[in-house]
Structure formats: C-alpha cells, structure tokens
Amino acid sequence: MKQRPFKQVDVFTNQAYLGNPLAVVLDAADLSTEDMQHFARWTNLSETTFVMPPSPEAAAQGADYQVRIFTPGYEMPFAGHPTLGSCHAWLENGGVPQTAGLVVQECKVGLVRISRTSGRPAFAAPPLNRRDAAPELVQALADALGLPATAIVAAQHLNNGPSHFGLLIASQPLLMGLKPDSGKLFTTLTGAGISGVGVAVAQRDSGTAGLIGRSNREARAFVGGASTATPATTVDAEPSVEVRFFFDHGKLIGEDPVTGSFNASLAQWLIAEGHAPRHYTAAQGACLGVQGRVHIEQDASGQVWVGGDAVTCIDGSVLL
C-alpha cells in the first residue's frame, strides 16, 4: 500500500453536495482489478474511478489518460458522471491534454472525447438506436409507476450500448409525485431485460410534455469514426427538462441523483422528435434534495454533447 492522490467530487453541479458524488483515485497504474473492486465496494458510492496513464496504443491515438470505472459490485465500460468527474480531477491534479480544449479518455469501450470549449466538460453522446415499445410493456411500467394510461404520450426503446426505455408523459406534477411500487417495477424491469426506469418532463413552447426513460448509466462515445466537431460556447438557461431515474439496485429500486449517459439518449430522442431544442438544460435529483444540472447541446454536425460542472469536495490522499 502507498499514499495516492485522491479526490471526491460532485458532478453535474457547481455547488458542492448538490450533484452526484464520485470517488477518484489518481496514480492507480499498479493497482490490480481486485484492489480496485475492493476499494469501490468500501467507498459504497455509485461509482469509483481509477486514473492512470493511457496505453501506448491509445496514447498514439490522442488519449490523455486511462480510467477504470467500478460500482460496488462490478466494473463498467463507460458511464457519464464518472467520465466528467474523472476529467475534472485529472485536470485539477495537473493533467495537460494533448489537444487544447479537448480531453481524450481511454476506457473499456474505447476513446471518449470530452470537449471543454463551452466552459465546462462535455462528452460526445454515442449513437442511438430506438424503436417503438410493446403496449403490454408500456402498461406494465405505467402500473408499476402509478401512472394513468392517459398520461402517456409516447413510448420507445432507446439503445446506445445499454438498453433504455422511454415514455413521454403529460405533466410535471405527475412526474414529481411518482412513488413507484418497488416490487412491481423490479419484476417488470427484469422481465423485459431493463435495469432501470427514469422520469422526466420537457417544457415546450406549445405546452408541456414529459419523458420517462431508463439506463444503467453505461454508454459508448468513441473517438474513431466520430465527428471532430465540438459544441459552441453557450450561456446557461433555466432547466427546461426535469428528469427522474429509477434503477434496479439488487432486487430493490433506487433513484439516481443525476445520470449522464441516460440524459445522452434522452436528448437525442427529444431533439429528434421536436420535443426539445438543440440546446437545453435538464434538472435531475430534486426529489432527492439535490440540484443536478445536465447541459445538452447538438452541434452543427448533429453530434449531441452532454456537459456538466464538477466541484471537488475532498482533496487529499488515500492509502491504497
């Protein structure tokens, strides 16, 4: 064991303790997979990341660092808030990217582009596949969530690596008042091969609509073959989308404070269907007492970027 640089950061917020927490271990190159998993289990946060130099092959393709992402139970190939939080910690610890304004992260799914041109880190949303949902599944999810069938405007499967599910609902009061039946929702999710369900409402010029979706927070965002465009500089706005996200948490249903990769697929669907503009801010976590903010922008090439602030709450070292 040795002392290693360590930070605990709050992601998707510019105010400490109002976002989604992440533990980041820097200088982790000599740790084994077992060491990483054991420490992630000990922190008991939704994710803990371990930052190290990129592999030679990835460095030759522009990677600035490598990150491994662990939940208390398993390793993830990619996740949104760990990507932005690790980038924040790496930069704060003195990391210098190969390309000004662009950080390239190596992780299990490949190379992930993180733009810094809009004033905050933003990762490139992966390609999205979507299809209509079976009425029986929509009804079962509505029952588990306590939603009347008349509140559902539209429903789709969303897939950007993990399998998502989305429902468009009618109003914000319905969204904020949801009290899912944990047993029914767990049974429905596992029966359909879905690991979580989120809820959101999107404000539109002509009225309101809402979206409900799910994700296990994994996604893919590759450098190879993707657009090199980066988002334009934008100004903050009041949130126009409200999100809630429920997930399978070991036969129990938990609610996530802020979910980056889910918001990626959510944005692609909302923008494509005209339910949201090309630039908007989503709020998530209000029912948990947090104020998460996810900043969405679609650039001129059509690439959607998912951005968020991060704040360091604990800065020191860890014996590991």
Side-chain angles (χ1 to χ4, degrees):
M1 287 188 175
K2 68 179 184 182
Q3 294 290 338
R4 303 170 191 272
F6 174 83
K7 296 178 186 287
Q8 188 159 314
V9 302
D10 213 8
V11 187
F12 291 118
T13 182
N14 58 13
Q15 299 182 61
Y17 315 116
L18 291 178
N20 199 352
L22 174 75
V24 184
V25 177
L26 299 141
D27 188 24
D30 59 339
L31 291 173
S32 69
T33 298
E34 291 73 21
D35 292 334
M36 296 180 195
Q37 185 64 77
H38 182 78
F39 185 67
R41 188 177 300 114
W42 181 82
T43 69
N44 202 34
L45 293 176
S46 59
E47 281 97 10
T48 299
T49 64
F50 300 85
V51 180
M52 60 199 75
S55 66
E57 297 79 10
Q61 297 178 57
D64 296 302
Y65 63 84
Q66 179 182 174
V67 68
R68 294 182 67 179
I69 305 167
F70 289 81
T71 74
Y74 56 90
E75 184 172 6
M76 301 180 73
F78 176 82
H81 102 274
T83 290
L84 297 181
S86 297
C87 177
H88 167 84
W90 180 78
L91 290 167
E92 192 175 71
N93 197 54
V96 179
Q98 295 187 46
T99 303
L102 182 70
V103 173
V104 180
Q105 170 184 287
E106 177 187 7
C107 55
K108 290 293 185 179
V109 298
L111 303 184
V112 179
R113 292 175 298 143
I114 307 165
S115 171
R116 300 170 61 212
T117 59
S118 64
R120 63 175 59 88
F123 68 84
L128 175 68
N129 294 314
R130 55 193 179 97
R131 59 184 173 86
D132 292 338
E136 296 81 6
L137 178 57
V138 176
Q139 186 60 61
L141 285 172
D143 290 343
L145 292 163
L147 277 170
T150 54
I152 299 171
V153 177
Q156 287 203 336
H157 287 275
L158 307 171
N159 190 300
N160 61 359
S163 176
H164 306 260
F165 193 86
L167 291 172
L168 198 62
I169 64 172
S171 74
Q172 187 168 357
L174 283 173
L175 169 70
M176 304 309 288
L178 285 178
K179 295 181 179 179
D181 182 310
S182 186
K184 284 184 179 180
L185 187 54
F186 174 78
T187 300
T188 303
L189 295 177
T190 54
I194 300 170
S195 62
V197 60
V199 186
V201 169
Q203 185 72 34
R204 302 167 63 189
D205 292 339
S206 58
T208 60
L211 179 128
I212 186 171
R214 56 77 40 202
S215 173
N216 61 4
R217 289 182 289 173
E218 297 179 33
R220 293 189 180 95
F222 295 96
V223 170
S227 166
T228 58
T230 55
T233 300
T234 58
V235 295
D236 289 347
E238 287 298 310
S240 55
V241 174
E242 190 84 32
V243 177
R244 294 182 71 183
F245 172 56
F246 304 97
F247 62 97
D248 171 9
H249 186 58
K251 296 187 178 181
L252 297 173
I253 296 298
E255 182 168 356
D256 195 41
V258 202
T259 318
S261 56
F262 165 67
N263 274 281
S265 59
L266 169 65
Q268 288 164 302
W269 183 25
L270 289 179
I271 294 170
E273 294 294 326
H275 298 302
R278 292 174 56 184
H279 169 239
Y280 69 84
T281 300
Q284 187 177 349
C287 291
L288 299 177
V290 302
Q291 298 177 14
R293 296 292 183 268
V294 182
H295 302 272
I296 299 295
E297 181 161 357
Q298 184 184 59
D299 66 24
S301 74
Q303 174 66 60
V304 170
W305 296 82
V306 182
D309 294 301
V311 182
T312 299
C313 300
I314 300 173
D315 190 359
S317 64
V318 61
L319 181 64
L320 187 61

